[in-house]
């Protein structure tokens, strides 16, 4: 599925957050959205998912305006994995992943739904935890369950909001490898908000760098993760190295006299 975000504007009361964001994504592509805190990354993802409605601009799925689709139609196209999610009620891993099938059945799941969930649990190596309570799992395990739940929707686009932020380096790599593998095996697109520029550089086909609600830079890691861009957008002097064909970003120091990008974004 082709996704097009056209000139998106979004405001919270008294605050303009997205100021004309345009980007596109094709299937089997991983786009990483990077940028400082407050630059509008989560808001952008929520607008694409339809959780928030832009003031103006459009999101198109294969040319169809998302504003014309129902929640169920969107849920069949998009799997959204929030930053974290604790459940207020007790539910097993199996039942939590089965919730992802909801857009596909009316009131009762079928044998096919059970098979789909079982296959996904196996693929995500969650089958041993199937009957465990989701709330008792580690952060890494919960993240895998949330991705499994999104996959159970059989989406064409996976939206991930900081999927690695709560994870140790081993689980960060695990989640990124799983996502990378899924993109090709299931021919889906991925839009991922991520803070770790090194993971973005390694796994993204394209990086979109947001700054003050606008796309500041977009393209390959080489195009976007430049010393000049990082200094301008994050207010940080960084050394960029290339190791085995992948860029790594080493933050050196905050640039003196540079305004705090969070306060800048907040208009303070
Ligand atoms: P990012 O994901 O890049 O950190 P967000 O999209 O979460 O940025 O937030 C962008 C800006 O919008 C921030 O300044 C944030 O404080 C503000 N914001 C986010 N959610 C709300 C909200 N529900 N009400 C008011 N302001 C909000």
């Amino acid at each position: 599925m082709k996704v097009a975000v056209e000139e998106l504007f979004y405001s919270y009361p008294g605050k303009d957050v997205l100021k004309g964001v345009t980007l596109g994504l094709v299937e089997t592509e991983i786009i990483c959205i990077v940028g400082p805190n407050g630059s509008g990354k989560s808001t952008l993802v929520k607008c694409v998912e339809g959780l928030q409605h832009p003031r103006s601009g459009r999101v198109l799925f294969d040319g169809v305006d998302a504003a014309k689709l129902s929640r169920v139609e969107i849920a069949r196209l998009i799997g959204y994995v929030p930053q974290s999610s604790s459940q207020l009620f007790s539910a097993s891993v199996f039942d939590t992943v089965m919730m992802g099938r909801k857009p596909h059945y009316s009131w009762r799941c079928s044998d096919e739904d059970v098979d789909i969930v079982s296959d996904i649990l196996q693929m995500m190596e969650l089958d041993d935890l199937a009957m465990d309570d989701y709330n008792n799992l580690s952060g890494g395990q919960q993240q895998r369950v949330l991705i499994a739940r999104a996959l159970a929707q059989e989406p064409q686009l996976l939206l991930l909001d900081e999927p690695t932020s709560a994870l140790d380096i081993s689980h960060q790599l695990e989640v990124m490898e799983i996502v990378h593998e899924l993109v090709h095996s299931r021919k889906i697109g991925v839009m991922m908000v991520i803070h770790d520029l090194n993971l973005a550089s390694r796994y993204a086909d394209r990086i979109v760098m947001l700054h003050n609600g606008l796309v500041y830079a977009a393209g390959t890691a080489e195009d976007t993760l430049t010393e000049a861009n990082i200094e301008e957008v994050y207010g940080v002097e960084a050394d960029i190295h290339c190791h085995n064909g992948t860029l790594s970003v080493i933050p050196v120091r905050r640039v003196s006299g540079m305004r705090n990008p969070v306060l800048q974004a907040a208009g303070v």
Side-chain angles (χ1 to χ4, degrees), residues 44 51 54 69 118 236 257:
L44 170 62
L51 289 170
L69 300 176
S118 304
V236 167

Side-chain angles (χ1 to χ4, degrees), residues 87 89-93 129-137 142:
Q87 286 177 169
F89 50 89
S90 162
S92 69
V93 167
L129 301 173
M131 287 303 126
D132 288 20
D133 191 319
Y134 170 86
N135 286 323
N136 294 339
L137 302 182
Q142 286 188 346

Side-chain angles (χ1 to χ4, degrees), residues 22-23 31-35 206-211 214-226 228-230 233:
T22 295
L23 56 94
I31 287 189
C32 285
I33 316 276
V34 304
R206 270 186 312 128
I207 294 176
V208 173
M209 187 179 272
L210 283 193
H211 184 38
L214 283 166
V215 175
Y216 184 84
T220 62
E222 287 76 13
D223 295 334
T224 50
L225 300 180
T226 64
N229 286 353
I230 290 171
V233 170

Side-chain angles (χ1 to χ4, degrees), residues 12-13 15 17 35-44 52 162 193 266:
Y12 293 107
K15 177 161 195 188
V17 174
N37 293 334
S39 53
K41 303 180 297 297
S42 293
T43 304
L44 170 62
Q52 285 171 340
E162 295 188 30
V193 172

Side-chain angles (χ1 to χ4, degrees), residues 129-167:
L129 301 173
M131 287 303 126
D132 288 20
D133 191 319
Y134 170 86
N135 286 323
N136 294 339
L137 302 182
S138 72
Q141 290 167 333
Q142 286 188 346
Q143 195 65 40
R144 287 208 325 263
V145 174
L146 294 179
I147 294 174
R149 185 180 66 183
L151 288 177
Q153 290 171 235
E154 299 191 308
Q156 295 179 46
L157 170 69
L158 201 52
L159 287 176
L160 302 149
D161 198 348
E162 295 188 30
T164 56
S165 57
L167 308 183

Side-chain angles (χ1 to χ4, degrees), residues 151-214:
L151 288 177
Q153 290 171 235
E154 299 191 308
Q156 295 179 46
L157 170 69
L158 201 52
L159 287 176
L160 302 149
D161 198 348
E162 295 188 30
T164 56
S165 57
L167 308 183
D168 62 53
I169 50 173
S170 165
H171 286 104
Q172 287 180 8
L173 289 178
E174 183 192 14
V175 165
M176 296 302 281
E177 290 293 339
I178 288 170
V179 169
H180 187 256
E181 203 277 319
L182 287 169
V183 163
H184 297 286
S185 63
R186 303 205 161 210
K187 308 239 174 311
I188 56 178
V190 169
M191 195 182 284
M192 176 189 310
V193 172
I194 191 160
H195 275 301
D196 189 320
L197 300 180
N198 292 316
L199 287 177
S201 151
R202 183 159 161 186
Y203 290 97
D205 296 303
R206 270 186 312 128
I207 294 176
V208 173
M209 187 179 272
L210 283 193
H211 184 38
N212 290 337
L214 283 166

